[in-house]
Amino acid sequence: MTRRGQRDKQEDILGAPAGVPGRDAVPGRAEFLEILGLTPAAGAFVLFVVRPEITEALVHTLAASTAGLVH
């Protein structure tokens, strides 16, 4: 059974009507946005694990720019 069929079947069990206002107009949009959001987070995690000196450079840059704002 496809995801769409499972989703419709589950909504019928729960009693939710098919045309509820405010629902996603595009099926599967939430999954796409979730992957889109997790991709940069996973990339940053891998980058910090593989190249730990980048973390130090980022902290140094942040501290220098903050110090520049104080003066």
Side-chain angles (χ1 to χ4, degrees):
M1 185 180 281
T2 64
R3 281 186 154 182
R4 185 174 185 166
Q6 288 174 349
R7 194 176 309 146
D8 292 340
K9 184 177 178 183
Q10 189 176 32
E11 289 173 357
D12 291 340
I13 292 171
L14 297 175
V20 176
R23 286 187 49 192
D24 287 341
V26 180
R29 183 170 184 247
E31 291 88 3
F32 173 72
L33 292 176
E34 183 178 1
I35 290 173
L36 193 64
L38 287 176
T39 301
F45 177 74
V46 169
L47 187 63
F48 288 137
V49 169
V50 173
R51 305 283 301 235
E53 64 272 6
I54 292 177
T55 306
E56 296 171 9
L58 181 65
V59 169
H60 177 71
T61 303
L62 183 63
S65 64
T66 304
L69 293 174
V70 172
H71 291 287

